[in-house]
Every structure is written in structure tokens, then in C-alpha cells.
Amino acid sequence: MVKGLVAGRLALVTGAGSGIGRAACQVLSREGATVIAADKHHDSALETIKAHTALASGAFDVGDHSAMELDVSNSKSVQGVLQNILKQYKAPPTIVVNSAGITKDNWLLKMSESDYDSVLDVNLKGTFLVMQTFAKAMTEASVTGSIVNISSIVGKYGNLGQSNYTASKAGVVAMTKTAAKELGKFNIRVNAVLPGFINTPIVKTVPDKVMMMMLMLVPLGRMGEPEEIAEVITFLSSDKSSFITGAAIDVTGGF
Ligand SMILES: NC(=O)c1ccc[n+]([C@@H]2O[C@H](COP(=O)([O-])OP(=O)(O)OC[C@H]3O[C@@H](n4cnc5c(N)ncnc54)[C@H](O)[C@@H]3O)[C@@H](O)[C@H]2O)c1
């Protein structure tokens, strides 16, 4: 029998081909979930599943995980993934982790309209489309569930060069709280995680000087690792957090 915090649950993770999404797949699977790794880049989602299967071999049940191509900013793509899941697993996922995200940084005075639009499309509209589609599927199947949206600590405080990104991440927190209020009656919990500076490819574009200055503001004095966010995601996905909804949890090393 599969054991763990989320044993026997089906979990969809977006942005699963890298960083926090990949780590979430690994920890959810370690805790007994069957994971659907979805990413714009199908190959990297597949790598997530393969890497994990190799890592897990012999340690525990590797489950019936799968990788799917998904563009969260495109409603047809989101619908297509739902249909594939219903075909393959005969049920919707009851854990949904919205980790897909992009940055296109520039000074406010120089930011192009297209860079503004594309960041809002993926980070905010993408979270909306995935939440709406999969919460609806859960209500239609009369199952309860947990949705975890990845915001960012800079959505709370702002950050140089990120007027588009910070707005999208503040929006994710507000939308999470609204969704929690609306979906509570279906026993679908919705929470947000606000990571600080985490060691993934998305922060590689931050200049070293800026990163050094940022790290001086982190009491724990280091960047976080994606697994440290994934553990919180898994807690929020599990029944251990059964009375938590509409929360926005900072995971920042104290930043
Ligand atoms: N790393 C950090 O310091 C940090 C801090 C705060 C918040 N976050 C947030 O955490 C989430 C994950 O970030 P990460 O650090 O793992 O970044 P990452 O770049 O390592 O991974 C992001 C993944 O999202 C995928 N993606 C991009 N656009 C997509 C789309 N339209 N549809 C589906 N998938 C798409 C990418 O292919 C990639 O695999 C993001 O929402 C990010 O904003 C990261």
C-alpha cells in the first residue's frame, strides 16, 4: 500500500519541467501522490518524471506518473490537458499546483507593452484558467481538493525592474483569497505560497550585485532550495492543513 501525506491522490503540477514545479512533483510523489507534470516544454516535464522514477527506484512505489504539454495562458491548452487527464485517469486531480511562471524584467519607464502582457498572461491569467478549469472539474466530480498557487514575496514588497511580475504575483494572492471564499463550500481549499529567493533557473537573470544585496536582507543568509518550497506545497496539499484556506504563506528565510 502507498504511504505518505498525500497517498493515493492525483496531483497536477504546472511549470513542472524546472525549479519549484519539478521539486513539487518529487516531494508529492515521495508522499504517495500520482503526479501529472505539465509544462510548456514537454521534454522537460518528461525529464522530471524520468529523473524522479530513477531516483525513486526501489525506495517506494513510483506510481503511474505522466508528463503533459501545457501552456497555462491558453484556455484551449488547459482544457486539452483536463480532457487528457479524464481519459487517462478517469477522474480529475484533487491537488493542483500552479507553479508555471515567467519574468521579463525592465525598468517601468522602459517596459514594453508586450513584456507586460506576456508576464500577466502566464502568471495571473494562467493561474486563473487552471484554477477555474480544474476547480470546475472537481465540483462536477463531487470531490474535494486543494489548490496551491505560487506567488512571490516581491508581490508584497515590490522589486526593481519587475512592475509586471510583482503586479502579477500580488494578483495571484488576491485571486487565491477570492477563490478560497468561493470554493470553500465545495471543500476545495486554495492557498498561496510566497517564496523568497530560491535557487532555480528563473533567478539566473538577476545580476550578481543585486543578488548579493538581496541576500544581505535574508536573516538565514542564503537562498532557499526548491525542495524547501515543495515541502510547504505538499503540506498545503495534504489533510495536515485541513483548516487552512485563503492563506498566503511566506517562505523566504525571513526576508
Ligand atoms: N525562484 C525564485 O526565486 C522564485 C521566487 C518567487 C516566486 N517564484 C515563482 O515560482 C514559480 C516557479 O518558478 P521557478 O523558480 O521554478 O522557475 P523556473 O523557470 O525554474 O520554472 C518555471 C517553469 O514554468 C514553465 N512555464 C513557463 N511558461 C509556461 C506556460 N505558459 N505554461 C506552462 N509552463 C510554463 C517553464 O517552462 C519552466 O519549466 C514561478 O511562478 C515563479 O514566479 C520563484
Side-chain angles (χ1 to χ4, degrees):
M1 201 178 90
V2 186
K3 287 192 179 144
L5 286 178
V6 286
R9 305 272 301 275
L10 183 61
L12 170 70
V13 180
T14 75
S18 177
I20 293 169
R22 175 170 285 178
C25 290
Q26 294 173 343
V27 177
L28 285 165
S29 156
R30 184 197 75 199
E31 293 298 329
T34 297
V35 171
I36 301 150
D39 201 285
K40 194 168 181 182
H41 302 291
H42 183 257
D43 286 357
S44 48
L46 204 56
E47 269 314 301
T48 296
I49 298 304
K50 278 193 196 152
H52 184 62
T53 306
L55 201 85
S57 59
F60 51 86
D61 190 341
V62 292
D64 181 23
H65 309 305
S66 57
M68 296 189 187
E69 186 174 330
L70 167 68
D71 177 357
V72 295
S73 65
N74 179 321
S75 56
K76 283 207 179 86
S77 173
V78 176
Q79 271 300 330
V81 164
L82 171 64
Q83 294 315 318
N84 285 343
I85 292 172
L86 293 177
K87 205 163 150 199
Q88 189 169 335
Y89 296 97
K90 316 290 177 220
T94 57
I95 295 170
V96 175
V97 180
N98 277 302
S99 189
I102 58 168
T103 55
K104 289 197 185 240
D105 297 353
N106 210 335
W107 304 113
L108 174 71
L109 298 183
K110 292 186 174 166
M111 186 170 289
S112 69
E113 188 175 343
S114 67
D115 281 354
Y116 175 86
D117 284 345
S118 55
V119 168
L120 270 288
D121 271 357
V122 174
N123 298 2
L124 188 57
K125 187 176 127 185
T127 301
F128 165 75
L129 290 174
V130 172
M131 270 210 295
Q132 186 187 52
T133 303
F134 285 90
K136 195 157 180 243
M138 284 185 224
T139 62
E140 284 169 1
S142 300
V143 291
T144 65
S146 172
I147 300 173
V148 183
N149 296 325
I150 311 305
S151 172
S152 169
I153 197 64
V154 299
K156 220 183 210 181
Y157 300 120
N159 198 22
L160 293 172
Q162 295 198 311
S163 51
N164 51 0
Y165 182 79
T166 52
S168 73
K169 294 300 185 178
V172 166
V173 171
M175 197 155 61
T176 297
K177 289 178 182 293
T178 300
K181 287 189 194 315
E182 293 186 11
L183 298 176
K185 66 176 176 229
F186 302 108
N187 211 358
I188 298 171
R189 296 182 297 109
V190 191
N191 293 291
V193 175
L194 283 64
F197 300 98
I198 311 299
N199 189 14
T200 75
I202 210 171
V203 295
K204 296 281 186 279
T205 54
V206 179
D208 286 350
K209 214 169 85 182
V210 176
M211 190 49 80
M212 293 268 286
M213 277 163 52
M214 295 290 197
L215 287 180
M216 284 168 66
L217 302 172
V218 179
L220 292 184
R222 63 173 176 87
M223 288 177 89
E225 293 302 323
E227 295 72 24
E228 294 177 291
I229 306 299
E231 295 289 352
V232 180
I233 292 171
T234 303
F235 165 72
L236 289 172
S237 303
S238 79
D239 290 343
K240 293 281 179 203
S241 59
S242 52
F243 203 51
I244 302 180
T245 195
I249 300 181
D250 299 1
V251 189
T252 63
F255 172 77

